[in-house]
Amino acid sequence: MPFEGDPLALYGKNIIEDYHASLTTKLPQPDADKTNSFDISDEKLRFFPDRKVGILGAGVGGLYTALILDSLGVEYEILEASDRIGGRLSTYKFPGGKMYDYYDAGAMRYPLPKKDAQGRYKNGIMKRLAELIIYPPLNQGLDRLKDRLMPYYYKAREGPNLKPGFYYFNGVYEPVSETPKGPFRGQEMGVDADYIKAGVDAISDDVTKPFVRMLIEDFKHDEKKGWKVMMENDSYSVRAYMAFKYLPSANLELPPQHLPNDVINWCGLLSSSSGGYNRALTESVFSPLAFAKVGGTDFGDVDWKCFDGGSEVLPKMMAKVINETKKDRIHFGKRVTAIRLSDLIIILPPEFPKHKIPSAAEELENYSDAGDLVAGASETIGDPGRRERVIILRGAGVRVSVNSESRVYSHVISTLPLPVLRTIDMGGAEMNTMQKNALRQLQYGPSVKIAILFKEPWWTTKLGIVGGQSFTDLPIRTIVYPSYGADPNAESRVLIASYCWTSDADRLGSLANPQQSDRLKELVLRNLAEAHARVRPNGNLITYDFLQDQFLDMHVKDWSHDPHAMGAFAFFGPGDFQNLYTSLTYPAANKRLHFAGEALSTRHGWVVGALDSAWRAVYEYLSVTDQKDKMKRFTDMWGKNVEWTSPSVQPQYDESGKPLPSNLLYEHFGLIDKAIGAGEIKY
């Protein structure tokens, strides 16, 4: 599965290379007569490398990790704190509802790359997800995952008697169309006529599109010109860049000065969320690369899809495959309370060659199984009828405390959201100072979805809207109409009446509790009535009384107050992609605790970010344990990622001067090892 056609992978590679260049300047230069090579493993890491691996979290990242390890014959188990799989892939089905009376409280839409003439997925940012969907074990029998894909209408369906979504800001209604948005009373917000004439869409595009264009040019010509410009502005939030750095292009015919605050507020009003301009400029530039058509390239040439039955279909089918080969690999209700470096006990057969035992190993004369549960340690290698040899390797395991028990693994791959990981006692996990600060500082954005089950899909029957979205400055902010269940014989009566994030989600989330349910219901219904009143002004008027009569049930999902998520998606601030992001792409606990999750990718807010980071965590595990036989099978089956498999910038040589094979991951670990040894990275 090649992923060369992924610009965000290239930018991830650039982040790592820039970090390496910065780190190299701080390290003592090697002597000319010494070999320049990175040995990222050791005898303890290489000894029985495939002992049981612990996976933390049964979200899509943890399940993907399990599928990979399963394909390589590595034993593992998954610890999940909640009572379900899927993590932030969560589908809520209204009790007593019909077939399509559900909504996706988490991830709900997937911009997959289009297929070529032979039916193969083209290169693109979401290709790893697309390849997972067609993974053969997930497509056995009559219920095949790939057959569950169905069209998702990011914009409302077009056709006779159908209406588009709309914008409703400052009391002004305007249908969504290909023409630029109007001013929406911008002059009453203090916006000068020149900016009104230029238009909010043109100004907003002028802020980010030059960066996007330059980055795409980098990708096409294998350069870093655009990347250098992007990094020169990485310390800005979107708002700060607009106010203190940005200068309008000449074709907009605007004053050659930074944008006035009133203009920034006007642009922010017509964006997706209040406070969205506080995120890193880099995040805003990366975002359109996931699904927006850019220039004359294929990037952004996507097919929007969703899953028939909701997004929970994906993790459920993954879990089914995981449990087919060996049951009870996923353990529910296992909330992790502490992670720390531990000793690893291994039982060897008496004939095991002594010279293969690591020199640091100690033999235990009187071993008892009492005490901690050592995952995999009770398995005797060889003839169980003969007297075994029991050895202990100090600092060669990772102890995970769960409820009232402990489990010790050879390696642990954590796919937990970083805010959740920070609530766990990591005092004995041997994390460096920068890693601890990354857990504290790297941000996740809040998000709230409010879904309502009505007696009928009035947005379609009364207004002619099928799929797509409407946008407003009312507290509900974004309204999402279902793309599924448009057939009168299998309709969906569920409307995502509110989808909001950043400060809008913080405010609405204050009402997301049972005590405020009636108040929230009234607010949402009144907002819906006001926003839809102008869709068909001459008939089928949607009123508050009408919606009250139509109301059957309501469900609210506030991800910030979900104890198993503590946020909806990674939402980095200025500069976070540099030292903080790179610090968690290096394992803790003597290279035995590996970190994954969509935050530790350049694809924030997308399922594919979780998949790519899980791939990298498994790649780390195989590399530090030197499992060359499994590594080839791993890359053959699960592909490569240019972020980590590209050749290292610094060439590696053996003692005879012969070049050694190396890549960015080896360079990453090797440089960090040297920085730790030199005291540049502190614990």
Side-chain angles (χ1 to χ4, degrees):
M1 299 190 300
F3 295 95
E4 290 80 2
D6 180 349
L8 287 186
L10 180 64
Y11 307 143
K13 172 177 173 283
N14 288 344
I15 291 170
I16 299 302
E17 288 181 349
D18 287 356
Y19 175 69
H20 291 180
S22 173
L23 200 58
T24 299
T25 63
K26 302 173 185 177
L27 297 176
Q29 297 302 307
D31 296 336
D33 59 341
K34 291 187 176 180
T35 60
N36 182 30
S37 63
F38 296 133
D39 185 3
I40 67 173
S41 185
D42 60 40
E43 63 171 1
K44 287 200 292 187
L45 284 166
R46 289 189 288 265
F47 188 67
F48 282 125
D50 55 353
R51 304 298 289 176
K52 185 176 284 187
V53 173
I55 301 171
L56 308 186
V60 70
L63 297 174
Y64 190 65
T65 302
L67 286 179
I68 297 174
L69 294 181
D70 203 42
S71 72
L72 301 177
V74 176
E75 187 56 39
Y76 63 88
E77 64 182 12
I78 302 175
L79 304 181
E80 168 57 44
S82 73
D83 59 357
R84 67 174 190 86
I85 57 168
R88 285 169 285 172
L89 269 68
S90 174
T91 303
Y92 180 80
K93 297 180 179 179
F94 281 90
K98 298 179 182 179
M99 179 180 179
Y100 287 108
D101 287 340
Y102 64 81
Y103 84 107
D104 281 315
M108 63 181 175
R109 51 198 178 199
Y110 307 92
L112 301 180
K114 289 190 174 181
K115 294 181 178 180
D116 61 20
Q118 288 73 42
R120 297 170 300 195
Y121 282 107
K122 297 179 181 179
N123 285 330
I125 289 169
M126 303 292 164
K127 187 173 182 183
R128 188 174 292 282
L129 173 60
E131 296 285 358
L132 172 62
I133 292 170
I134 61 173
Y135 182 50
L138 298 176
N139 292 278
Q140 304 296 321
L142 298 177
D143 189 11
R144 302 187 302 178
L145 181 60
K146 62 184 179 182
D147 295 337
R148 291 292 197 102
L149 287 177
M150 61 189 304
Y152 179 87
Y153 298 101
Y154 193 78
K155 295 182 179 179
R157 272 172 55 178
E158 299 178 354
N161 301 317
L162 294 181
K163 286 279 188 177
F166 56 84
Y167 302 109
Y168 181 67
F169 297 103
N170 283 334
V172 177
Y173 169 86
E174 183 179 296
V176 172
S177 68
E178 298 299 324
T179 59
K181 289 192 286 287
F184 291 96
R185 294 181 173 172
Q187 64 275 16
E188 297 174 33
M189 297 177 63
V191 179
D192 289 343
D194 287 343
Y195 296 97
I196 297 289
K197 180 181 178 182
V200 68
D201 287 340
I203 295 172
S204 298
D205 285 350
D206 196 50
V207 171
T208 58
K209 285 294 178 67
F211 292 106
V212 174
R213 177 184 54 78
M214 292 182 71
L215 290 173
I216 290 294
E217 288 299 310
D218 279 358
F219 183 76
K220 290 163 63 177
H221 302 294
D222 193 23
E223 297 176 338
K224 279 192 174 183
K225 293 179 181 178
W227 178 254
K228 290 178 180 177
V229 174
M230 185 77 259
M231 288 299 98
E232 288 170 1
N233 293 280
D234 186 45
S235 60
Y236 288 99
S237 67
V238 178
R239 174 175 285 275
Y241 177 75
M242 295 170 83
F244 302 114
K245 185 74 181 290
Y246 164 74
L247 292 173
S249 297
N251 65 294
L252 296 182
E253 299 182 352
L254 293 174
Q257 62 185 29
H258 312 313
L259 294 180
N261 197 52
D262 288 337
V263 174
I264 298 173
N265 290 338
W266 176 55
C267 293
L269 168 75
L270 304 181
S271 68
S272 300
S273 64
S274 304
Y277 281 177
N278 294 328
R279 69 173 174 172
L281 174 66
T282 304
E283 283 269 39
S284 292
V285 172
F286 280 0
S287 181
L289 291 170
F291 54 86
K293 185 71 176 173
V294 181
T297 71
D298 289 333
F299 308 120
D301 189 14
V302 300
D303 276 330
W304 283 95
K305 298 291 184 181
C306 60
F307 287 101
D308 191 342
S311 289
E312 70 173 19
V313 167
L314 175 60
K316 282 188 173 181
M317 286 197 171
M318 294 171 76
K320 181 181 176 182
V321 170
I322 288 166
N323 286 324
E324 278 177 350
T325 53
K326 185 176 180 180
K327 293 188 179 298
D328 300 323
R329 277 179 161 173
I330 305 174
H331 304 278
F332 296 102
K334 301 295 184 183
R335 185 176 71 86
V336 176
T337 57
I339 304 172
R340 55 194 181 278
L341 194 64
S342 179
D343 301 332
L344 188 64
I345 297 171
I346 300 177
I347 303 174
L348 301 174
E351 70 273 13
F352 189 86
K354 192 171 183 178
H355 70 276
K356 290 187 177 181
I357 299 176
S359 58
E362 303 171 29
E363 189 162 351
L364 297 180
E365 295 296 335
N366 299 304
Y367 171 67
S368 170
D369 284 335
D372 294 325
L373 170 63
V374 182
S378 61
E379 301 168 7
T380 303
I381 303 173
D383 182 359
R386 301 177 64 184
R387 188 176 182 276
E388 309 91 5
R389 174 183 293 163
V390 182
I391 65 168
I392 183 169
L393 288 172
R394 305 292 181 186
V398 182
R399 179 178 300 176
V400 178
S401 297
V402 181
N403 303 333
S404 59
E405 69 177 23
S406 292
R407 297 166 182 248
V408 178
Y409 303 98
S410 65
H411 287 260
V412 167
I413 296 175
S414 172
T415 66
L416 301 177
L418 299 186
V420 175
L421 193 59
R422 190 167 184 251
T423 66
I424 295 171
D425 179 4
M426 304 286 287
E430 299 290 321
M431 296 181 68
N432 63 53
T433 303
M434 193 62 75
Q435 289 176 324
K436 294 175 184 177
N437 275 278
L439 285 187
R440 176 187 59 81
Q441 186 171 326
L442 293 179
Q443 304 172 50
Y444 278 59
S447 176
V448 170
K449 281 185 182 177
I450 303 171
I452 297 179
L453 173 66
F454 291 99
K455 293 178 182 177
E456 67 171 285
W458 51 264
W459 51 92
T460 299
T461 59
K462 305 291 186 186
L463 305 179
I465 300 176
V466 176
Q469 306 167 88
S470 291
F471 309 91
T472 177
D473 56 355
L474 298 174
I476 58 174
R477 289 299 270 164
T478 300
I479 304 156
V480 184
Y481 309 99
S483 295
Y484 46 85
D487 187 333
N489 297 321
E491 62 189 11
S492 174
R493 300 174 296 163
V494 177
L495 177 71
I496 298 179
S498 175
Y499 179 25
C500 53
W501 46 97
T502 61
S503 58
D504 296 310
D506 284 333
R507 295 164 185 163
L508 213 53
S510 300
L511 302 179
N513 60 73
Q515 294 76 23
Q516 300 295 330
S517 179
D518 290 341
R519 181 181 174 188
L520 182 62
K521 171 187 169 183
E522 179 181 356
L523 172 67
V524 173
L525 292 182
R526 289 193 182 280
N527 279 191
L528 286 175
E530 180 181 347
H532 288 88
R534 293 162 179 79
V535 177
R536 288 189 184 272
N538 298 322
N540 292 325
L541 188 64
I542 303 301
T543 65
Y544 174 66
D545 290 339
F546 168 78
L547 293 179
Q548 272 193 313
D549 180 67
Q550 284 282 313
F551 180 92
L552 290 176
D553 199 358
M554 180 173 73
H555 184 265
V556 183
K557 184 60 185 181
D558 179 0
W559 286 103
S560 289
H561 291 91
D562 183 323
H564 306 302
M566 299 185 179
F569 41 75
F571 194 81
F572 278 12
D576 286 351
F577 267 116
Q578 297 179 28
N579 289 349
L580 294 177
Y581 166 80
T582 52
S583 70
L584 291 177
T585 54
Y586 180 84
N590 287 351
K591 297 180 183 173
R592 295 179 182 274
L593 173 58
H594 309 267
F595 303 103
E598 52 93 20
L600 302 180
S601 76
T602 52
R603 305 154 187 83
H604 292 169
W606 297 102
V607 167
V608 74
L611 304 185
D612 277 311
S613 68
W615 182 97
R616 189 255 312 145
V618 175
Y619 188 57
E620 285 180 7
Y621 157 70
L622 294 175
S623 296
V624 299
T625 54
D626 199 29
Q627 299 187 65
K628 292 184 175 65
D629 56 334
K630 290 184 173 64
M631 181 66 82
K632 184 179 187 308
R633 200 183 333 157
F634 168 65
T635 53
D636 286 345
M637 291 186 65
W638 301 97
K640 296 183 178 181
N641 194 320
V642 297
E643 287 166 88
W644 300 105
T645 58
S646 295
S648 59
V649 176
Q650 302 183 25
Q652 306 295 295
Y653 303 97
D654 64 14
E655 295 180 355
S656 66
K658 183 180 178 181
L660 292 170
S662 185
N663 55 41
L664 279 181
L665 183 123
Y666 276 74
E667 183 176 272
H668 191 57
F669 281 25
L671 286 173
I672 292 177
D673 286 349
K674 289 184 177 181
I676 293 169
E680 185 62 36
I681 294 178
K682 301 183 184 302
Y683 283 80

